[in-house]
Amino acid sequence: TPLKSEEAIRSAVKNLVEEVHVVDVHTHLFPPNHGKLMLWGIDELLTYHYLVAEYFITAPATITPEKFFALEKQAQADLVWDSLFIQRSPISEACRGVITTLTELGLGELVERRDLDGVRKWFAKQTPEGYVDKVFELAKIKYVLTTNIPFEKKETVHWYPKTKEFDTNRFHTGLRVDQLLTGNWESIKEALDEMGIEHTIEGVKKLLEKWITIIKPKYFMAAVPPTLEFPSDEEMSTYAPSTINSATLLRRVLLPLAEQHHLPIAFKFDSVRPINPALREGGDGVVTTKVSTLQKLCLNYPKVKFLATFLARVNQHELCVLANKFGNLHIYGCWWYCNNPSIVEEITRIRVELLGTAFTSQHSDARVLDQLIYKWKHSKAVIGGVLQDMYVKLFHAGWSLTREEIQRDVERLFGGAYEEFMEK
Ligand code: RAT
Ligand code: ZN
């Protein structure tokens, strides 16, 4: 039965978005049996690199990043808490996220008393396994995609030579290959040596094929360095094997593998690494790169599927137009510096206006398990608000709507469109 009024539509949309279980298409999470790689709890939340960067804007000159990172995690967390939550109000998006998370976990009273110690005591009573269940339930997660880097020894030991069991119902893998596009030959060589593979282009292909067999990824993922230009055929034909560079690794390794193994490539554009190295993970910046690099890929590789997200706000409109032209392109999420309510709202509006429901509205990028709770709560509030407006406009245009129809669309925007694209 059709919804009869503007109010009925708003309330249905709000409720359906709140209740939908999401596919989180990009995170940096690990399951409990990957030991220390699984980050969770208050000290990890407080030392998230978004917060560490914010802390250093006003940190005393005596606390240099070197000194800070040399401290124990808990001591780092104490500094951030005191500076960003006690000496000033935690109104930034990353700070508010910690508060939303604790409140949703039922720790409101401890937050009210600013009782960091009490919060720590609560976390000490949780087990990693039980906590994963709790967070997935609270955040309403179907499954997450993880980031698995075949060039990082601390990760690969969990897969090779012996593969640990992976909770593949809730954690789907993604093979992260930034090193190919940055042309980081040193770390590629180490990975080749580890598996006794020769140092050639063919060798790099073999290495990645081994990793495809080992971790069974759903896609390749790579951040695209701003200097990477789509190589011309002329450049490619004059390539000499002695100069293995990122353009070659893209054209001779990554794209052919994607096609042969039917693995989409998820690209991330517009980050520059790092603009302040002392801040480590928090030291990267944003730059506006050419969306036409992606257009050339979509056009020249029609058999390869591309997922894409851009970091620069100004590129979002051009990206939508591109996604409107290519069935082998799927936009996902509002990434990092775009994952702020004001920008998520703006981006979601243009996306719906140009693409309908053919995109994935958000990903969490969670590094700390608990962040799933706030990232999804905050995003859903904004995206839900935008969708309410869109459906009300449609209603006033003369289209009747049922709750089931809206539910179908909402499911697409929070994971269904991604699954349809992957199966295509
Ligand atoms: O948002 C982040 O946590 C960044 O540090 C990056 O990890 C980014 O999401 C990426 O995957 O490169
Ligand atoms: Zn990420």
Side-chain angles (χ1 to χ4, degrees), residues 56 112 234:
F56 274 111
E112 178 72 40
E234 197 192 317

Side-chain angles (χ1 to χ4, degrees), residues 377-422:
K377 189 161 169 91
H378 289 190
S379 294
K380 280 180 164 186
V382 177
I383 295 163
V386 171
L387 291 179
Q388 284 183 39
D389 293 351
M390 298 293 173
Y391 283 108
V392 164
K393 280 186 205 166
L394 182 59
F395 173 71
H396 288 312
W399 187 255
S400 67
L401 285 153
T402 65
R403 192 182 161 88
E404 290 68 33
E405 286 168 337
I406 297 175
Q407 180 168 19
R408 171 200 60 196
D409 300 345
V410 167
E411 280 173 359
R412 279 219 169 86
L413 290 169
F414 287 89
Y418 159 80
E419 290 182 331
E420 284 171 352
F421 178 76
M422 298 298 279

Side-chain angles (χ1 to χ4, degrees), residues 50 82 252 271 280 328 388 407:
Y50 296 27
D82 181 62
R252 299 265 159 97
S271 63
R280 301 192 180 177
N328 60 337
Q388 284 183 39
Q407 180 168 19

